[in-house]
Amino acid sequence: AAQAALACAVEVQRLLEANRREHGAALTLRIGLHLASALQHEGDYAGQGVHVAARVTALGGRDEIVASQSVVEAAGRSGFDFSEPRSERVKGVTEPVVVQTVKWG
């Protein structure tokens, strides 16, 4: 699942970049990936894992993909290129969250 999520995120960013080159404009996205359990509630998801995923996404900048350590570890040696890990303090989470940026360009 982590490898598929990373592959999808990379493909989305590459397609948007190609659209910018070909047409001069495209959406810019920051994508955050986090692997954790979540509770399904009334057609939506809730729980600490969902909260952390939102915070991981918020750590990203324009056109970035940020992955939590849980995603990086689950992906293993999958051929993705990551930045060095960094520890971030995020609102509503006691322990720092370790993230890495996915190099996709």
Side-chain angles (χ1 to χ4, degrees), residues 2-3 6 35 67-77 82 98 100:
Q3 290 176 350
L6 286 162
L35 181 62
S68 69
Q69 196 65 38
S70 62
V71 171
V72 175
E73 289 173 0
R77 296 182 180 267
F82 297 98
V98 177
Q100 292 176 252

Side-chain angles (χ1 to χ4, degrees), residues 31-101:
I31 299 172
L33 302 171
H34 178 60
L35 181 62
S37 60
L39 304 171
Q40 191 169 12
H41 177 71
E42 296 179 8
D44 203 358
Y45 290 91
Q48 184 67 10
V50 175
H51 177 75
V52 172
R55 298 299 184 203
V56 167
T57 301
L59 293 171
R62 180 180 174 163
D63 299 327
E64 280 191 321
I65 302 167
V66 179
S68 69
Q69 196 65 38
S70 62
V71 171
V72 175
E73 289 173 0
R77 296 182 180 267
S78 56
F80 293 98
D81 190 14
F82 297 98
S83 69
E84 289 297 314
R86 68 183 195 265
S87 182
E88 298 280 355
R89 305 284 288 159
V90 297
K91 182 179 176 183
V93 180
T94 306
E95 296 296 318
V97 177
V98 177
V99 296
Q100 292 176 252
T101 301

